[in-house]
Amino acid sequence: MQIQRRLIIALLMLFSPVMTVNAGAGENAAVDKPQILRQDSVTKGYQPLAVGEQSIAAAYLPQTLGTPRGAVLLLHDINEHIDSAAIGLLRRQLPSYGWNTLAIKIIRFSEANEEALADTETATAPTADAEVPAEADETPAPPVTEVEDAPAETPANESTDSAETTPPAEQTFTNITTAQRIDAALLKLQQEGHENIVLIGQGAGGQLALKTISETAVPIAALIMINTDELAEGMNITDVTIPMLEILGSRQQDNFKQAILKRQTQMKTEQRNNYHLRQITGADHYFSSVPQQLTNQVHGWLYKQLLDEEAER
């Protein structure tokens, strides 16, 4: 028995280092093994929008109901993109209700910001805004590096020193302003023949939508502002005469709530019947917890304001 016990102990001691090494290798493999990260595909409906000789990032989805009801231009909030928060939800869901949706990339949200960035955009630029991965921030495309052509051979009767080389002309691009982006998008929808063109903006995008109403030559049927803070100086909501809806998430920050309720009071004081306010319970800035409620509110209001009236006529 003692011999057998000694033999078992010896065998354990012999294989113990091997087992330890293998166990360590397994741990290292688990640590070193790269994590498989979720890589979203390019935004559904991604379709660069031409603005003059250049193009910007945009996404277009046609209606899938079979009965076209109009087109919606969606303007995202600052530091966001065409597939984020409420804009992304509405962009993907409204087509099933008969609405064609178009979302465009906005880079500047104020005139001061636009002037400051215009000075920095004088180098060679890509022909279109960077493509937008779904549910991820945009990453600007790297500048295009141009390769100079090989210099022409120097004639035999001229010395190499006297040959002059002219550097290639730097290709510059014209700064695409926010107004030009929005105008190009609205013109696209108008040229497609949509009778009901709606502007929807979230946050700072809501202010851009409000500003566009008084600047564009394209007829706008309705305006929707989602969780939009206090308006910039010089902007007046009482100037809006078309049907207007403000949507407020109950979990939005207090300063947003106060700004929206202040506008509601102002419109009531002015006895403007074209203004409506809807609060969605449980919704924050992103509306991720109540996505269907947001879409139902938007479509239901639009249908009542635009389509019920058409049916009566």
Side-chain angles (χ1 to χ4, degrees):
M1 292 292 295
Q2 292 181 355
I3 295 175
Q4 290 179 350
R5 289 179 181 176
R6 290 177 180 176
L7 180 60
I8 292 172
I9 293 172
L11 290 172
L12 289 173
M13 294 179 64
L14 178 63
F15 289 101
S16 176
V18 176
M19 295 172 62
T20 303
V21 170
N22 290 337
E27 292 175 359
N28 291 336
V31 173
D32 297 337
K33 184 178 180 181
Q35 298 293 324
I36 300 177
L37 300 176
R38 177 170 171 260
Q39 184 176 359
D40 294 308
S41 60
V42 173
T43 299
K44 182 180 180 181
Y46 180 80
Q47 188 179 105
L49 176 67
V51 182
E53 295 182 354
Q54 302 176 66
S55 58
I56 63 173
Y60 180 81
L61 290 176
Q63 62 87 17
T64 57
L65 180 66
T67 303
R69 288 171 169 165
V72 178
L73 174 60
L74 298 149
L75 305 177
H76 62 79
D77 199 359
I78 190 170
N79 294 328
E80 294 183 355
H81 56 80
I82 59 181
D83 218 22
S84 61
I87 296 306
L89 290 172
L90 294 172
R91 188 185 79 79
R92 296 187 299 271
Q93 293 182 359
L94 282 176
S96 63
Y97 292 83
W99 299 94
N100 300 269
T101 62
L102 173 62
I104 61 173
K105 176 61 181 175
I106 301 295
I107 297 180
R108 308 161 194 85
F109 288 82
S110 67
E111 293 180 358
N113 178 242
E114 189 162 286
E115 292 174 0
L117 289 178
D119 295 335
T120 66
E121 297 184 342
T122 56
T124 303
T127 57
D129 291 357
E131 291 191 4
V132 188
E135 302 177 4
D137 290 334
E138 280 186 312
T139 302
V144 179
T145 304
E146 296 187 356
V147 180
E148 296 183 7
D149 295 333
E153 294 183 2
T154 306
N157 59 346
E158 293 185 13
S159 64
T160 312
D161 296 336
S162 63
E164 295 182 359
T165 57
T166 303
E170 184 183 35
Q171 291 186 356
T172 59
F173 72 102
T174 303
N175 175 48
I176 304 176
T177 66
T178 301
Q180 288 173 327
R181 290 168 179 259
I182 297 176
D183 284 344
L186 290 174
L187 185 60
K188 168 185 168 62
L189 298 179
Q190 185 184 45
Q191 290 174 342
E192 291 179 351
H194 300 294
E195 294 184 5
N196 295 319
I197 298 179
V198 180
L199 271 174
I200 299 180
Q202 180 175 20
Q207 295 203 43
L208 287 179
L210 176 61
K211 183 181 179 183
T212 301
I213 296 297
S214 60
E215 295 180 349
T216 183
V218 176
I220 305 299
L223 168 66
I224 299 178
M225 295 165 60
I226 303 173
N227 284 343
T228 298
D229 201 354
E230 187 174 354
L231 301 179
E233 185 177 354
M235 298 183 68
N236 194 344
I237 198 172
T238 58
D239 294 336
V240 179
T241 58
I242 60 175
M244 177 179 181
L245 171 67
E246 285 214 62
I247 294 179
L248 170 64
S250 65
R251 295 171 56 193
Q252 184 56 276
Q253 298 175 8
D254 289 340
N255 59 307
F256 285 81
K257 293 180 180 179
Q258 293 169 5
I260 294 172
L261 293 176
K262 181 180 177 181
R263 290 195 290 269
Q264 181 191 38
T265 301
Q266 183 181 6
M267 294 297 275
K268 282 184 176 180
T269 302
E270 296 284 339
Q271 298 183 347
R272 299 300 179 86
N273 297 326
N274 63 311
Y275 179 88
H276 305 88
L277 174 62
R278 299 285 186 272
Q279 179 168 300
I280 299 181
T281 304
D284 57 8
H285 173 78
Y286 295 96
F287 291 86
S288 56
S289 59
V290 287
Q292 197 58 49
Q293 290 186 39
L294 173 65
T295 304
N296 289 343
Q297 284 282 3
V298 168
H299 167 67
W301 182 82
L302 286 175
Y303 189 91
K304 183 177 181 179
Q305 298 298 318
L306 305 179
L307 302 173
D308 276 359
E309 293 180 2
E310 289 182 359
E312 292 176 0
R313 292 197 296 267

